[in-house]
Amino acid sequence: SARRVIPRMPLFAGIEGGASKSTCVVMDETGRVLGRAVGPDTNHWLIGVQVTVERCYNLVLEALKAGGLPPGTTLESLGMSLSGADQLAARTELQRTFLAKYPDITSHVTVCTDTYGALATGFERGGVVPIAGTGSNCVLINDDGSVHTCGGWGHLIGDDGAAFWIAKEAVKAIFNALDNYLERKHDMTFITNSMMEFFKVESRKDMLTHMYRDFNKAHFAKFCTKVVEGAEKNDGYCLSLLREAGFLLGSHVKAVYPQADKASQQCLNILCTGSVFLSWKYLQAGFLEATSSVPAQLRLVYMTETAAIGAALLAARDASHTIPIDYSAHYSPLFST
């Protein structure tokens, strides 16, 4: 392995690991990001622990390289905020495997789920993190560290309102329409043509390959972009589907609200994360309908910075370092009630 290089000042790294891609940052003790890297997905349920750890290590090397730091540079700590890391046993296994395989890069690894990294990037205090990327999840974290969740159960029974759910619902509605099964309120021409084009198929039978034999969740979820395209063209079906997605995402927030502490029960900080929230204008009506009975003032912001920063901060804190951070630089306002 590369010769160890002790840097002049303490360095901290964080990884945001998603089901579609992952991001790594390396920062100094002032909170300045020195290097960044983007790499493939790191969800251990999809690729296994060994590959996840290997990809995380390679990401750190890439981020060090991007920051002009030598490959043997040691870190004070590494935070890994990974999708699918909800169980303590999985987090412990990821942490132990990393430290056993790559003992030279750092002696401190903190593993947490993706929502923790996100919240630590956006707010110093507690709040709610609804995530809607490929999949969906929603976590309320109170100031005392207590955690309450809704969703996050994967594409088979969960992921409501997320990109995969939107793509699946659209495909299902197209098949139903062509089967003359169940009633439809909308014309399905646009979305049907979009499906054929996106998946490069000539008939519905060709779709079976994409749905079963060569099923790729991340790719299938990307069909969601065609639904957004339809909404932009004022397509009735696409608009109604995105509104429904908004309702489901808002329903996640409503579900965790009763467990919020006093401060959050008055003003609830909501850190929206994931690419689906970029289409907020189409989600908004449904989201607000779902949360209309929540008595708190809602403050929604959209995360513009990677949760890798929060992951780095959490690991640094665990290793007894405090890094000064301007949280407001990590998000843009979305909506306030």
Side-chain angles (χ1 to χ4, degrees):
S1 72
R3 189 172 58 85
R4 293 186 73 175
V5 181
I6 310 294
R8 285 195 303 275
M9 63 157 75
L11 296 177
F12 309 88
I15 292 171
E16 173 189 10
S20 301
K21 65 167 182 152
S22 305
T23 307
C24 178
V25 299
V26 173
M27 58 168 68
D28 64 18
E29 59 192 342
T30 69
R32 190 165 59 105
V33 173
L34 305 174
R36 291 173 185 261
V38 176
D41 56 294
T42 45
N43 183 319
H44 75 96
W45 290 114
L46 302 175
I47 58 172
V49 168
Q50 294 294 336
V51 178
T52 299
V53 162
E54 205 173 293
R55 286 183 180 182
C56 286
Y57 176 71
N58 289 331
L59 262 177
V60 173
L61 294 188
E62 290 286 320
L64 287 169
K65 189 175 161 188
L69 298 155
T73 302
T74 56
L75 302 165
E76 291 292 317
S77 59
L78 166 64
M80 306 193 320
S81 174
L82 309 177
S83 84
D86 302 82
Q87 293 166 304
L88 179 61
R91 291 197 294 273
T92 307
E93 193 188 347
L94 286 159
Q95 179 196 34
R96 283 184 185 154
T97 307
F98 191 97
L99 289 169
K101 216 169 176 185
Y102 309 110
D104 289 350
I105 200 161
T106 186
S107 57
H108 185 96
V109 172
T110 296
V111 182
C112 62
T113 183
D114 48 0
T115 37
Y116 274 58
L119 193 65
T121 306
F123 303 127
E124 197 168 1
R125 290 186 41 251
V128 178
V129 184
I131 295 185
T134 302
S136 64
N137 191 5
C138 182
V139 178
L140 162 76
I141 302 174
N142 287 318
D143 281 355
D144 64 2
S146 62
V147 176
H148 302 276
T149 65
C150 173
W153 303 118
H155 70 276
L156 207 58
I157 63 160
D159 284 347
D160 288 5
F164 180 82
W165 179 90
I166 293 166
K168 180 197 70 176
E169 287 298 308
V171 170
K172 193 172 164 183
I174 292 162
F175 275 55
N176 286 351
L178 293 170
D179 279 346
N180 193 29
Y181 171 62
L182 302 178
E183 272 186 52
R184 290 169 310 289
K185 293 189 185 115
H186 302 284
D187 179 84
M188 301 297 285
T189 311
F190 171 82
I191 199 66
T192 305
N193 293 340
S194 298
M195 179 186 81
M196 302 293 190
E197 187 189 314
F198 179 85
F199 290 102
K200 300 182 173 62
V201 294
E202 282 172 21
S203 76
R204 282 192 294 164
K205 291 216 165 47
D206 299 336
M207 280 297 292
L208 295 170
T209 312
H210 293 283
M211 294 191 289
Y212 302 104
R213 197 181 67 206
D214 297 337
F215 175 65
N216 178 325
K217 180 170 156 179
H219 177 67
F220 195 93
K222 285 197 177 86
F223 178 51
C224 168
T225 56
K226 292 292 179 189
V227 178
V228 174
E229 219 174 274
E232 281 161 0
K233 292 177 176 165
N234 218 22
D235 179 80
Y237 173 72
C238 295
L239 287 167
S240 74
L241 182 56
L242 290 175
R243 186 195 162 106
E244 192 183 344
F247 183 85
L248 294 171
L249 296 171
S251 298
H252 282 75
V253 173
K254 181 186 174 182
V256 296
Y257 173 75
Q259 310 297 331
D261 58 24
K262 274 211 161 60
S264 287
Q265 284 199 346
Q266 280 153 355
C267 175
L268 193 60
N269 284 325
I270 303 171
L271 184 71
C272 301
T273 307
S275 52
V276 172
F277 279 107
L278 289 170
S279 302
W280 170 251
K281 63 178 170 186
Y282 305 121
L283 306 171
Q284 181 176 327
F287 190 99
L288 296 178
E289 184 192 340
T291 53
S292 59
S293 61
V294 172
Q297 183 202 342
L298 305 181
R299 176 172 163 250
L300 281 82
V301 299
Y302 180 73
M303 192 141 115
T304 51
E305 190 45 287
T306 170
I309 287 181
L313 296 175
L314 289 170
R317 194 188 305 162
D318 278 356
S320 307
H321 290 270
T322 307
I323 301 174
I325 284 290
D326 170 20
Y327 290 94
S328 66
H330 300 158
Y331 58 74
S332 58
L334 201 58
F335 187 85
S336 284
T337 53

